[in-house]
Amino acid sequence: QVPLVESGGGLVQAGGSLRLSCVPSERSFSAYAMGWFRQAPGKEREFVAGISSSGGSVNYADSVKGRFTISRDNAKNTVYLQMNSLKPEDTAVYYCARNSRSYITSSGQWLYWGQGTQVTVSS
């Protein structure tokens, strides 16, 4: 598997912000769509945000639209998830994932996953 390393998680108060980073160790990083998923305790993993290989197209879950921003810097080999106005319901383990295509697809196309980073939002 392709290593994907997430960082930037932590404990914040409601209304605060965090920026997650994902650094894949592969030369062809820029050829693939990337995404962020999250999994809360006792719940199934859910899609949060995705971005095409070029960064020209993005997609968000309705629950995070207007608050989260996914971006990528192919020159720096990094994908980001800027999370603003955090809510307690955002608490979850966040995972970086690499798609098998250059564009954003259904969950079946997400083949490689990071180890996850914990985000906890207190009230």
Side-chain angles (χ1 to χ4, degrees):
Q1 291 188 337
V2 178
L4 298 172
V5 181
E6 305 100 331
S7 63
L11 174 64
V12 298
Q13 292 269 23
S17 298
L18 286 173
R19 187 173 76 160
L20 307 183
S21 298
C22 174
V23 181
S25 298
E26 62 173 339
R27 183 183 301 175
S28 59
F29 163 75
S30 62
Y32 303 104
M34 300 291 294
W36 289 95
F37 293 73
R38 67 187 182 187
Q39 186 170 22
K43 295 186 177 180
E44 192 170 304
R45 182 163 50 193
E46 64 176 341
F47 173 81
V48 175
I51 186 166
S52 62
S53 60
S54 68
S57 297
V58 295
N59 190 257
Y60 298 96
D62 288 340
S63 60
V64 305
K65 285 182 178 178
R67 299 189 298 119
F68 290 11
T69 302
I70 187 171
S71 62
R72 68 191 298 161
D73 187 337
N74 288 342
K76 291 184 170 64
N77 202 43
T78 305
V79 178
Y80 304 98
L81 184 67
Q82 178 67 47
M83 304 184 293
N84 298 326
S85 301
L86 283 163
K87 305 174 181 180
E89 51 262 45
D90 294 318
T91 296
V93 177
Y94 283 70
Y95 297 91
C96 179
R98 199 211 79 179
N99 206 283
S100 64
R101 311 284 181 88
S102 62
Y103 50 90
I104 304 165
T105 65
S106 63
S107 60
Q109 303 295 330
W110 302 97
L111 301 181
Y112 303 99
W113 302 83
Q115 79 286 353
T117 185
Q118 177 70 48
V119 172
T120 302
V121 185
S122 64
S123 59

PDB file of all heavy atoms in Angstrom, residues 3 12 21 50-51 62 68 71 74 82 99 101 103 107 113:
ATOM      1  N   PRO A   3       1.860   4.653   1.548  1.00  0.00           N
ATOM      2  CA  PRO A   3       1.736   5.290   2.864  1.00  0.00           C
ATOM      3  C   PRO A   3       1.061   6.658   2.775  1.00  0.00           C
ATOM      4  O   PRO A   3       1.398   7.477   1.922  1.00  0.00           O
ATOM      5  CB  PRO A   3       3.183   5.428   3.325  1.00  0.00           C
ATOM      6  CG  PRO A   3       3.951   4.428   2.522  1.00  0.00           C
ATOM      7  CD  PRO A   3       3.256   4.393   1.196  1.00  0.00           C
ATOM      8  N   VAL A  12     -10.093  20.734  20.600  1.00  0.00           N
ATOM      9  CA  VAL A  12     -10.432  22.153  20.481  1.00  0.00           C
ATOM     10  C   VAL A  12     -11.816  22.403  21.045  1.00  0.00           C
ATOM     11  O   VAL A  12     -12.641  21.496  21.159  1.00  0.00           O
ATOM     12  CB  VAL A  12     -10.379  22.647  19.018  1.00  0.00           C
ATOM     13  CG1 VAL A  12      -8.978  22.518  18.448  1.00  0.00           C
ATOM     14  CG2 VAL A  12     -11.380  21.887  18.159  1.00  0.00           C
ATOM     15  N   SER A  21      -3.431  17.785   7.735  1.00  0.00           N
ATOM     16  CA  SER A  21      -2.549  17.613   6.591  1.00  0.00           C
ATOM     17  C   SER A  21      -2.389  16.136   6.288  1.00  0.00           C
ATOM     18  O   SER A  21      -2.411  15.302   7.184  1.00  0.00           O
ATOM     19  CB  SER A  21      -1.171  18.225   6.863  1.00  0.00           C
ATOM     20  OG  SER A  21      -1.260  19.615   7.085  1.00  0.00           O
ATOM     21  N   GLY A  50     -13.696  15.767  -0.917  1.00  0.00           N
ATOM     22  CA  GLY A  50     -12.834  15.209  -1.944  1.00  0.00           C
ATOM     23  C   GLY A  50     -12.340  16.292  -2.878  1.00  0.00           C
ATOM     24  O   GLY A  50     -12.967  17.353  -3.005  1.00  0.00           O
ATOM     25  N   ILE A  51     -11.223  16.028  -3.533  1.00  0.00           N
ATOM     26  CA  ILE A  51     -10.641  16.990  -4.457  1.00  0.00           C
ATOM     27  C   ILE A  51     -10.011  16.237  -5.615  1.00  0.00           C
ATOM     28  O   ILE A  51      -9.366  15.203  -5.432  1.00  0.00           O
ATOM     29  CB  ILE A  51      -9.613  17.894  -3.733  1.00  0.00           C
ATOM     30  CG1 ILE A  51      -9.114  19.009  -4.653  1.00  0.00           C
ATOM     31  CG2 ILE A  51      -8.450  17.078  -3.178  1.00  0.00           C
ATOM     32  CD1 ILE A  51      -8.365  20.107  -3.897  1.00  0.00           C
ATOM     33  N   ASP A  62     -22.796  17.495   3.008  1.00  0.00           N
ATOM     34  CA  ASP A  62     -23.658  18.621   3.361  1.00  0.00           C
ATOM     35  C   ASP A  62     -23.383  19.135   4.778  1.00  0.00           C
ATOM     36  O   ASP A  62     -23.503  20.331   5.044  1.00  0.00           O
ATOM     37  CB  ASP A  62     -25.125  18.225   3.241  1.00  0.00           C
ATOM     38  CG  ASP A  62     -25.576  18.082   1.803  1.00  0.00           C
ATOM     39  OD1 ASP A  62     -24.915  18.623   0.900  1.00  0.00           O
ATOM     40  OD2 ASP A  62     -26.614  17.419   1.576  1.00  0.00           O
ATOM     41  N   PHE A  68     -15.793  23.639   6.198  1.00  0.00           N
ATOM     42  CA  PHE A  68     -14.550  22.935   5.873  1.00  0.00           C
ATOM     43  C   PHE A  68     -14.108  23.275   4.451  1.00  0.00           C
ATOM     44  O   PHE A  68     -14.940  23.490   3.566  1.00  0.00           O
ATOM     45  CB  PHE A  68     -14.739  21.419   5.958  1.00  0.00           C
ATOM     46  CG  PHE A  68     -14.935  20.883   7.350  1.00  0.00           C
ATOM     47  CD1 PHE A  68     -15.167  21.707   8.434  1.00  0.00           C
ATOM     48  CD2 PHE A  68     -14.891  19.506   7.564  1.00  0.00           C
ATOM     49  CE1 PHE A  68     -15.350  21.197   9.707  1.00  0.00           C
ATOM     50  CE2 PHE A  68     -15.069  18.978   8.828  1.00  0.00           C
ATOM     51  CZ  PHE A  68     -15.303  19.819   9.897  1.00  0.00           C
ATOM     52  N   SER A  71      -8.094  21.326   0.152  1.00  0.00           N
ATOM     53  CA  SER A  71      -7.202  21.901  -0.836  1.00  0.00           C
ATOM     54  C   SER A  71      -5.997  20.990  -1.001  1.00  0.00           C
ATOM     55  O   SER A  71      -5.772  20.084  -0.197  1.00  0.00           O
ATOM     56  CB  SER A  71      -6.762  23.314  -0.434  1.00  0.00           C
ATOM     57  OG  SER A  71      -6.038  23.290   0.783  1.00  0.00           O
ATOM     58  N   ASN A  74       0.190  20.353  -4.873  1.00  0.00           N
ATOM     59  CA  ASN A  74       0.930  19.253  -5.482  1.00  0.00           C
ATOM     60  C   ASN A  74       2.436  19.483  -5.440  1.00  0.00           C
ATOM     61  O   ASN A  74       3.213  18.529  -5.386  1.00  0.00           O
ATOM     62  CB  ASN A  74       0.465  19.033  -6.919  1.00  0.00           C
ATOM     63  CG  ASN A  74      -0.922  18.411  -6.988  1.00  0.00           C
ATOM     64  OD1 ASN A  74      -1.409  17.842  -6.021  1.00  0.00           O
ATOM     65  ND2 ASN A  74      -1.559  18.518  -8.145  1.00  0.00           N
ATOM     66  N   GLN A  82      -8.995  22.252   5.985  1.00  0.00           N
ATOM     67  CA  GLN A  82      -9.173  23.353   6.919  1.00  0.00           C
ATOM     68  C   GLN A  82     -10.564  23.245   7.518  1.00  0.00           C
ATOM     69  O   GLN A  82     -11.560  23.251   6.793  1.00  0.00           O
ATOM     70  CB  GLN A  82      -9.009  24.698   6.205  1.00  0.00           C
ATOM     71  CG  GLN A  82      -9.226  25.912   7.097  1.00  0.00           C
ATOM     72  CD  GLN A  82      -8.162  26.046   8.160  1.00  0.00           C
ATOM     73  OE1 GLN A  82      -6.977  25.940   7.871  1.00  0.00           O
ATOM     74  NE2 GLN A  82      -8.577  26.262   9.395  1.00  0.00           N
ATOM     75  N   ASN A  99      -7.765   8.081  -4.131  1.00  0.00           N
ATOM     76  CA  ASN A  99      -8.639   7.451  -5.093  1.00  0.00           C
ATOM     77  C   ASN A  99      -7.818   6.719  -6.153  1.00  0.00           C
ATOM     78  O   ASN A  99      -6.627   6.987  -6.326  1.00  0.00           O
ATOM     79  CB  ASN A  99      -9.534   8.508  -5.752  1.00  0.00           C
ATOM     80  CG  ASN A  99     -10.836   7.963  -6.264  1.00  0.00           C
ATOM     81  OD1 ASN A  99     -10.882   7.323  -7.320  1.00  0.00           O
ATOM     82  ND2 ASN A  99     -11.913   8.207  -5.525  1.00  0.00           N
ATOM     83  N   ARG A 101      -8.699   6.985  -9.273  1.00  0.00           N
ATOM     84  CA  ARG A 101      -8.934   7.808 -10.453  1.00  0.00           C
ATOM     85  C   ARG A 101      -8.430   9.228 -10.225  1.00  0.00           C
ATOM     86  O   ARG A 101      -8.073   9.598  -9.103  1.00  0.00           O
ATOM     87  CB  ARG A 101     -10.424   7.840 -10.802  1.00  0.00           C
ATOM     88  CG  ARG A 101     -11.113   6.499 -10.844  1.00  0.00           C
ATOM     89  CD  ARG A 101     -10.775   5.726 -12.103  1.00  0.00           C
ATOM     90  NE  ARG A 101     -11.468   4.436 -12.143  1.00  0.00           N
ATOM     91  CZ  ARG A 101     -12.683   4.248 -12.647  1.00  0.00           C
ATOM     92  NH1 ARG A 101     -13.363   5.267 -13.162  1.00  0.00           N
ATOM     93  NH2 ARG A 101     -13.228   3.043 -12.640  1.00  0.00           N
ATOM     94  N   TYR A 103     -10.392  11.781 -10.738  1.00  0.00           N
ATOM     95  CA  TYR A 103     -11.568  12.533 -10.357  1.00  0.00           C
ATOM     96  C   TYR A 103     -12.247  11.894  -9.155  1.00  0.00           C
ATOM     97  O   TYR A 103     -11.990  10.748  -8.812  1.00  0.00           O
ATOM     98  CB  TYR A 103     -12.545  12.635 -11.534  1.00  0.00           C
ATOM     99  CG  TYR A 103     -12.852  11.308 -12.193  1.00  0.00           C
ATOM    100  CD1 TYR A 103     -13.901  10.512 -11.765  1.00  0.00           C
ATOM    101  CD2 TYR A 103     -12.069  10.852 -13.252  1.00  0.00           C
ATOM    102  CE1 TYR A 103     -14.175   9.295 -12.368  1.00  0.00           C
ATOM    103  CE2 TYR A 103     -12.329   9.637 -13.860  1.00  0.00           C
ATOM    104  CZ  TYR A 103     -13.390   8.860 -13.415  1.00  0.00           C
ATOM    105  OH  TYR A 103     -13.645   7.652 -14.021  1.00  0.00           O
ATOM    106  N   SER A 107     -17.269   5.702  -2.912  1.00  0.00           N
ATOM    107  CA  SER A 107     -16.335   5.168  -1.925  1.00  0.00           C
ATOM    108  C   SER A 107     -15.589   3.928  -2.407  1.00  0.00           C
ATOM    109  O   SER A 107     -14.493   3.635  -1.932  1.00  0.00           O
ATOM    110  CB  SER A 107     -17.068   4.860  -0.618  1.00  0.00           C
ATOM    111  OG  SER A 107     -18.096   3.900  -0.821  1.00  0.00           O
ATOM    112  N   TRP A 113      -5.583   4.199   2.389  1.00  0.00           N
ATOM    113  CA  TRP A 113      -6.017   4.940   3.566  1.00  0.00           C
ATOM    114  C   TRP A 113      -4.870   5.177   4.529  1.00  0.00           C
ATOM    115  O   TRP A 113      -3.978   4.347   4.677  1.00  0.00           O
ATOM    116  CB  TRP A 113      -7.120   4.167   4.302  1.00  0.00           C
ATOM    117  CG  TRP A 113      -8.301   3.890   3.446  1.00  0.00           C
ATOM    118  CD1 TRP A 113      -8.446   2.863   2.550  1.00  0.00           C
ATOM    119  CD2 TRP A 113      -9.507   4.653   3.373  1.00  0.00           C
ATOM    120  NE1 TRP A 113      -9.675   2.944   1.927  1.00  0.00           N
ATOM    121  CE2 TRP A 113     -10.342   4.027   2.422  1.00  0.00           C
ATOM    122  CE3 TRP A 113      -9.957   5.795   4.033  1.00  0.00           C
ATOM    123  CZ2 TRP A 113     -11.609   4.521   2.115  1.00  0.00           C
ATOM    124  CZ3 TRP A 113     -11.217   6.282   3.726  1.00  0.00           C
ATOM    125  CH2 TRP A 113     -12.026   5.643   2.780  1.00  0.00           C
TER     126      TRP A 113
END
